[in-house]
CSV table of all heavy atoms in Angstrom, one decimal:
chain,number,residue,atom,x,y,z
A,25,PHE,N,0.8,-1.2,0.0
A,25,PHE,CA,0.0,0.0,0.0
A,25,PHE,C,0.9,1.3,0.0
A,25,PHE,O,1.8,1.4,0.7
A,25,PHE,CB,-0.9,0.0,1.2
A,25,PHE,CG,-1.7,1.2,1.5
A,25,PHE,CD1,-2.5,1.8,0.5
A,25,PHE,CD2,-1.7,1.9,2.7
A,25,PHE,CE1,-3.2,3.0,0.7
A,25,PHE,CE2,-2.4,3.0,2.9
A,25,PHE,CZ,-3.1,3.6,1.9
A,26,ASN,N,0.5,2.2,-0.8
A,26,ASN,CA,1.2,3.5,-1.0
A,26,ASN,C,2.6,3.4,-1.5
A,26,ASN,O,3.3,4.4,-1.5
A,26,ASN,CB,1.2,4.3,0.3
A,26,ASN,CG,-0.1,5.1,0.5
A,26,ASN,OD1,-0.9,5.3,-0.4
A,26,ASN,ND2,-0.3,5.7,1.7
A,27,GLN,N,2.9,2.3,-2.0
A,27,GLN,CA,4.2,2.1,-2.7
A,27,GLN,C,3.9,1.5,-4.1
A,27,GLN,O,4.3,2.0,-5.1
A,27,GLN,CB,5.1,1.1,-1.9
A,27,GLN,CG,6.4,0.9,-2.6
A,27,GLN,CD,7.3,0.0,-1.7
A,27,GLN,OE1,7.5,0.2,-0.5
A,27,GLN,NE2,7.9,-1.1,-2.2
A,28,ASP,N,3.1,0.4,-4.1
A,28,ASP,CA,2.7,-0.3,-5.3
A,28,ASP,C,1.3,0.1,-5.8
A,28,ASP,O,1.1,0.1,-7.0
A,28,ASP,CB,2.8,-1.8,-5.2
A,28,ASP,CG,4.2,-2.3,-4.8
A,28,ASP,OD1,5.1,-1.8,-5.4
A,28,ASP,OD2,4.3,-3.2,-3.9
A,29,PHE,N,0.4,0.4,-4.9
A,29,PHE,CA,-0.9,0.9,-5.3
A,29,PHE,C,-1.4,1.9,-4.3
A,29,PHE,O,-0.9,2.0,-3.2
A,29,PHE,CB,-1.9,-0.3,-5.3
A,29,PHE,CG,-2.2,-0.9,-4.0
A,29,PHE,CD1,-3.4,-0.5,-3.3
A,29,PHE,CD2,-1.4,-1.8,-3.4
A,29,PHE,CE1,-3.7,-1.1,-2.1
A,29,PHE,CE2,-1.7,-2.4,-2.1
A,29,PHE,CZ,-2.9,-2.0,-1.5
A,30,TYR,N,-2.5,2.6,-4.7
A,30,TYR,CA,-3.0,3.7,-3.9
A,30,TYR,C,-4.5,3.6,-3.8
A,30,TYR,O,-5.2,2.9,-4.6
A,30,TYR,CB,-2.6,5.1,-4.6
A,30,TYR,CG,-1.1,5.2,-4.8
A,30,TYR,CD1,-0.6,4.8,-6.1
A,30,TYR,CD2,-0.3,5.7,-3.9
A,30,TYR,CE1,0.8,4.9,-6.3
A,30,TYR,CE2,1.1,5.8,-4.1
A,30,TYR,CZ,1.6,5.4,-5.3
A,30,TYR,OH,3.0,5.5,-5.5
A,31,VAL,N,-5.0,4.2,-2.7
A,31,VAL,CA,-6.4,4.1,-2.4
A,31,VAL,C,-7.1,5.4,-2.1
A,31,VAL,O,-6.4,6.3,-1.6
A,31,VAL,CB,-6.6,3.1,-1.2
A,31,VAL,CG1,-8.0,3.1,-0.7
A,31,VAL,CG2,-6.1,1.7,-1.5
A,32,GLY,N,-8.3,5.5,-2.5
A,32,GLY,CA,-9.1,6.7,-2.2
A,32,GLY,C,-10.5,6.3,-1.6
A,32,GLY,O,-10.9,5.1,-1.7
A,33,TYR,N,-11.2,7.3,-1.1
A,33,TYR,CA,-12.6,7.1,-0.7
A,33,TYR,C,-13.4,8.3,-1.2
A,33,TYR,O,-13.0,9.4,-0.9
A,33,TYR,CB,-12.6,6.9,0.8
A,33,TYR,CG,-14.1,6.7,1.3
A,33,TYR,CD1,-14.6,5.4,1.3
A,33,TYR,CD2,-14.9,7.7,1.8
A,33,TYR,CE1,-15.9,5.1,1.7
A,33,TYR,CE2,-16.2,7.4,2.2
A,33,TYR,CZ,-16.7,6.1,2.1
A,33,TYR,OH,-18.0,5.9,2.5
A,34,SER,N,-14.5,8.0,-1.8
A,34,SER,CA,-15.4,9.0,-2.3
A,34,SER,C,-16.8,8.5,-2.1
A,34,SER,O,-17.3,7.8,-3.0
A,34,SER,CB,-15.1,9.3,-3.8
A,34,SER,OG,-16.0,10.3,-4.3
A,35,PRO,N,-17.4,8.9,-1.1
A,35,PRO,CA,-18.7,8.4,-0.7
A,35,PRO,C,-19.8,8.7,-1.7
A,35,PRO,O,-19.9,9.8,-2.3
A,35,PRO,CB,-19.1,9.0,0.6
A,35,PRO,CG,-18.3,10.3,0.6
A,35,PRO,CD,-17.0,10.0,-0.1
A,36,GLU,N,-20.7,7.7,-2.0
A,36,GLU,CA,-21.8,8.0,-2.9
A,36,GLU,C,-22.8,8.8,-2.1
A,36,GLU,O,-23.0,8.7,-0.9
A,36,GLU,CB,-22.5,6.6,-3.3
A,36,GLU,CG,-23.0,5.8,-2.2
A,36,GLU,CD,-24.4,6.1,-1.7
A,36,GLU,OE1,-25.1,6.9,-2.4
A,36,GLU,OE2,-24.8,5.6,-0.7
A,37,ARG,N,-23.5,9.7,-2.9
A,37,ARG,CA,-24.5,10.6,-2.3
A,37,ARG,C,-25.8,10.5,-3.1
A,37,ARG,O,-26.6,11.5,-3.0
A,37,ARG,CB,-24.0,12.0,-2.2
A,37,ARG,CG,-22.8,12.1,-1.3
A,37,ARG,CD,-22.1,13.5,-1.4
A,37,ARG,NE,-22.2,14.1,-0.1
A,37,ARG,CZ,-21.6,15.3,0.1
A,37,ARG,NH1,-21.0,16.0,-0.9
A,37,ARG,NH2,-21.7,15.9,1.3
A,38,ILE,N,-26.0,9.5,-3.9
A,38,ILE,CA,-27.2,9.4,-4.7
A,38,ILE,C,-28.4,9.1,-3.9
A,38,ILE,O,-28.4,8.4,-2.9
A,38,ILE,CB,-27.0,8.2,-5.7
A,38,ILE,CG1,-25.9,8.6,-6.8
A,38,ILE,CG2,-28.3,7.9,-6.4
A,38,ILE,CD1,-25.6,7.5,-7.7
A,39,ASN,N,-29.5,9.8,-4.2
A,39,ASN,CA,-30.8,9.6,-3.6
A,39,ASN,C,-31.7,8.7,-4.5
A,39,ASN,O,-32.2,9.3,-5.5
A,39,ASN,CB,-31.4,11.0,-3.4
A,39,ASN,CG,-32.8,10.9,-2.6
A,39,ASN,OD1,-33.0,9.9,-1.9
A,39,ASN,ND2,-33.6,11.8,-2.8
A,40,PRO,N,-31.9,7.4,-4.2
A,40,PRO,CA,-32.6,6.6,-5.1
A,40,PRO,C,-34.0,7.1,-5.5
A,40,PRO,O,-34.7,7.6,-4.7
A,40,PRO,CB,-32.8,5.3,-4.3
A,40,PRO,CG,-31.6,5.2,-3.4
A,40,PRO,CD,-31.4,6.7,-3.1
A,41,GLY,N,-34.3,7.1,-6.8
A,41,GLY,CA,-35.6,7.5,-7.3
A,41,GLY,C,-35.6,9.0,-7.6
A,41,GLY,O,-36.6,9.5,-8.2
A,42,ASP,N,-34.6,9.8,-7.2
A,42,ASP,CA,-34.6,11.2,-7.4
A,42,ASP,C,-34.1,11.5,-8.8
A,42,ASP,O,-32.9,11.3,-9.1
A,42,ASP,CB,-33.7,11.9,-6.3
A,42,ASP,CG,-33.8,13.4,-6.2
A,42,ASP,OD1,-34.2,14.0,-7.2
A,42,ASP,OD2,-33.5,14.0,-5.2
A,43,LYS,N,-34.9,12.1,-9.6
A,43,LYS,CA,-34.6,12.5,-10.9
A,43,LYS,C,-34.1,13.9,-11.1
A,43,LYS,O,-33.8,14.4,-12.2
A,43,LYS,CB,-35.8,12.2,-11.9
A,43,LYS,CG,-36.3,10.8,-11.8
A,43,LYS,CD,-35.2,9.8,-12.1
A,43,LYS,CE,-35.7,8.3,-12.0
A,43,LYS,NZ,-34.6,7.3,-12.2
A,44,VAL,N,-34.1,14.7,-10.0
A,44,VAL,CA,-33.6,16.0,-10.0
A,44,VAL,C,-32.2,16.1,-9.4
A,44,VAL,O,-31.3,16.6,-10.1
A,44,VAL,CB,-34.6,16.9,-9.1
A,44,VAL,CG1,-34.0,18.4,-9.1
A,44,VAL,CG2,-36.0,16.9,-9.7
A,45,ASN,N,-32.0,15.6,-8.2
A,45,ASN,CA,-30.6,15.6,-7.7
A,45,ASN,C,-29.9,14.3,-8.1
A,45,ASN,O,-29.7,13.4,-7.3
A,45,ASN,CB,-30.7,15.7,-6.1
A,45,ASN,CG,-31.4,17.0,-5.7
A,45,ASN,OD1,-31.0,18.1,-6.0
A,45,ASN,ND2,-32.6,16.8,-5.0
A,46,THR,N,-29.4,14.3,-9.3
A,46,THR,CA,-28.8,13.2,-9.8
A,46,THR,C,-27.3,13.2,-9.6
A,46,THR,O,-26.8,14.2,-9.0
A,46,THR,CB,-29.0,13.1,-11.4
A,46,THR,OG1,-28.7,14.3,-12.0
A,46,THR,CG2,-30.5,12.8,-11.6
A,47,LEU,N,-26.6,12.2,-10.0
A,47,LEU,CA,-25.1,12.0,-9.7
A,47,LEU,C,-24.3,13.2,-10.0
A,47,LEU,O,-23.6,13.7,-9.1
A,47,LEU,CB,-24.6,10.8,-10.5
A,47,LEU,CG,-23.1,10.6,-10.4
A,47,LEU,CD1,-22.6,10.2,-9.0
A,47,LEU,CD2,-22.6,9.6,-11.5
A,48,THR,N,-24.4,13.8,-11.1
A,48,THR,CA,-23.6,14.9,-11.6
A,48,THR,C,-23.9,16.2,-10.9
A,48,THR,O,-23.2,17.2,-10.9
A,48,THR,CB,-23.6,15.1,-13.1
A,48,THR,OG1,-24.9,15.4,-13.5
A,48,THR,CG2,-23.1,13.8,-13.8
A,49,LYS,N,-25.1,16.3,-10.3
A,49,LYS,CA,-25.6,17.5,-9.7
A,49,LYS,C,-25.4,17.6,-8.2
A,49,LYS,O,-25.8,18.5,-7.5
A,49,LYS,CB,-27.1,17.7,-10.0
A,49,LYS,CG,-27.4,17.8,-11.5
A,49,LYS,CD,-28.9,17.9,-11.7
A,49,LYS,CE,-29.1,17.9,-13.2
A,49,LYS,NZ,-30.6,17.9,-13.5
A,50,ILE,N,-24.7,16.6,-7.6
A,50,ILE,CA,-24.4,16.5,-6.2
A,50,ILE,C,-22.9,16.7,-6.0
A,50,ILE,O,-22.1,15.9,-6.6
A,50,ILE,CB,-24.9,15.2,-5.6
A,50,ILE,CG1,-26.4,15.0,-5.9
A,50,ILE,CG2,-24.7,15.2,-4.1
A,50,ILE,CD1,-26.9,13.6,-5.5
A,51,THR,N,-22.5,17.6,-5.2
A,51,THR,CA,-21.1,17.8,-4.9
A,51,THR,C,-20.4,16.4,-4.4
A,51,THR,O,-21.0,15.8,-3.6
A,51,THR,CB,-20.8,18.8,-3.8
A,51,THR,OG1,-21.4,20.1,-4.2
A,51,THR,CG2,-19.4,19.0,-3.5
A,52,LYS,N,-19.3,16.1,-5.0
A,52,LYS,CA,-18.7,14.8,-4.7
A,52,LYS,C,-17.5,15.0,-3.7
A,52,LYS,O,-16.6,15.8,-4.0
A,52,LYS,CB,-18.1,14.2,-6.0
A,52,LYS,CG,-17.9,12.7,-5.9
A,52,LYS,CD,-19.1,11.9,-6.1
A,52,LYS,CE,-18.8,10.4,-6.4
A,52,LYS,NZ,-18.4,9.7,-5.1
A,53,ILE,N,-17.6,14.3,-2.6
A,53,ILE,CA,-16.5,14.3,-1.7
A,53,ILE,C,-15.4,13.3,-2.2
A,53,ILE,O,-15.7,12.2,-2.6
A,53,ILE,CB,-16.9,13.9,-0.3
A,53,ILE,CG1,-17.9,14.9,0.3
A,53,ILE,CG2,-15.7,13.8,0.7
A,53,ILE,CD1,-18.5,14.5,1.6
A,54,THR,N,-14.1,13.8,-2.2
A,54,THR,CA,-13.1,12.9,-2.6
A,54,THR,C,-11.9,12.9,-1.6
A,54,THR,O,-11.8,13.8,-0.8
A,54,THR,CB,-12.5,13.3,-4.0
A,54,THR,OG1,-11.8,14.6,-3.8
A,54,THR,CG2,-13.6,13.5,-5.1
């Protein structure tokens, strides 16, 4: 880890069934 490969965490914030606040319209934590 951190020598041969690297890791990140980016939580999903999708609201199932919501057609207004979709994936691209929600700020993404990285």
Side-chain angles (χ1 to χ4, degrees):
F25 172 54
N26 274 347
Q27 180 177 312
D28 300 318
F29 71 97
Y30 305 91
V31 173
Y33 183 81
S34 180
E36 61 85 8
R37 299 172 116 178
I38 290 173
N39 183 25
D42 191 335
K43 303 305 179 187
V44 177
N45 301 298
T46 52
L47 172 68
T48 61
K49 299 174 183 176
I50 305 170
T51 301
K52 198 83 165 75
I53 296 173
T54 68

